[in-house]
Amino acid sequence: MRRGARLVVFAAIVIAVVLWLVACAPGDAAQSPGYVSGDGTVTEWAVGERGEPVELTGTSFEDEPVDVADFRGQAVLLNTWYAACPPCRAEAPDLVAADERDDVQVIGINSRDDAATALAFDRTFSVGYPSIDDGDGKATAQLQGLVSINAVPTSLILDAEGRVAARIVGSVEPSTLTALLDAAASSAVASGGAAPDAEAAG
């Protein structure tokens, strides 16, 4: 086989493999918890399409209990992160600002760092909200189908009733984050405070 023909065949194989990978890649972290995407994709759920309140408990890096249920009535932003993650560092000031709102509580989830590293990050960025030490993976397991341990950062925004209102895979623009939190914080009022039944939540 001539060199030119071999190059054509090689190029065709490469193109076929790339097309196969693209076709097989899932488009949603809920479909494949191992799917990694950091492009800032935002998914929102209408009030009537949200599921049951999220149950998430753990222990912070300061050895304090953390329970999402304690923050019912506020929007809650759950954020997976680790200290060496560039987009995590970039979005930290925005999360700190969000946590300063009276109607928002931010909770971090960190499965990679030890306490010294995580707390050093908190000091660097003046973080006042708790982060769950998820070294055992239990917190992430409680959010199975909603977040991927590999897609960091990922943020879930819970409405005032604790239901998932939005998911952000990757970092997010501050204006978009503010709009999502505004909507989540006010959604319980808009829905009359009543959670959808299981069938409606889907």
Side-chain angles (χ1 to χ4, degrees), residues 28 98 131 178:
D28 194 302
S131 282
T178 297

Side-chain angles (χ1 to χ4, degrees), residues 34-152:
Y35 178 61
V36 178
S37 174
D39 60 2
T41 298
V42 176
T43 304
E44 293 184 77
W45 286 266
V47 173
E49 298 174 344
R50 296 171 191 170
E52 295 299 315
V54 168
E55 296 182 6
L56 176 66
T57 59
T59 303
S60 75
F61 285 99
E62 295 177 318
D63 204 28
E64 297 290 337
V66 179
D67 188 342
V68 168
D70 291 341
F71 304 105
R72 298 287 191 260
Q74 296 175 275
V76 174
L77 192 162
L78 303 175
N79 176 259
T80 64
W81 68 280
Y82 62 95
C85 159
C88 301
R89 301 176 72 85
E91 73 177 3
D94 298 326
L95 301 187
V96 169
D99 188 63
E100 292 175 351
R101 295 176 46 161
D102 293 334
D103 57 353
V104 173
Q105 173 65 48
V106 178
I107 298 174
I109 303 170
N110 186 320
S111 62
R112 305 194 186 189
D113 295 329
D114 58 23
T117 301
L119 294 175
F121 179 97
D122 288 351
R123 290 191 296 272
T124 298
F125 293 99
S126 301
V127 173
Y129 54 83
S131 282
I132 293 174
D133 180 354
D134 193 33
D136 58 9
K138 290 182 178 179
T140 304
Q142 293 176 65
L143 300 174
Q144 185 175 8
L146 293 171
V147 300
S148 164
I149 194 170
N150 294 321
V152 179

Side-chain angles (χ1 to χ4, degrees), residues 8-30:
V8 170
V9 171
F10 177 75
I13 292 172
V14 170
I15 292 171
V17 170
V18 170
L19 291 175
W20 177 78
L21 289 172
V22 170
C24 292
D28 194 302

Side-chain angles (χ1 to χ4, degrees), residues 123-199:
R123 290 191 296 272
T124 298
F125 293 99
S126 301
V127 173
Y129 54 83
S131 282
I132 293 174
D133 180 354
D134 193 33
D136 58 9
K138 290 182 178 179
T140 304
Q142 293 176 65
L143 300 174
Q144 185 175 8
L146 293 171
V147 300
S148 164
I149 194 170
N150 294 321
V152 179
T154 292
S155 294
L156 297 180
I157 295 179
L158 312 183
D159 65 18
E161 296 175 15
R163 304 170 300 170
V164 179
R167 177 179 61 221
I168 307 154
V169 182
S171 57
V172 63
E173 290 294 325
S175 59
T176 301
L177 179 61
T178 297
L180 293 172
L181 290 171
D182 287 346
S186 62
S187 60
V189 175
S191 65
D197 58 31
E199 290 186 6

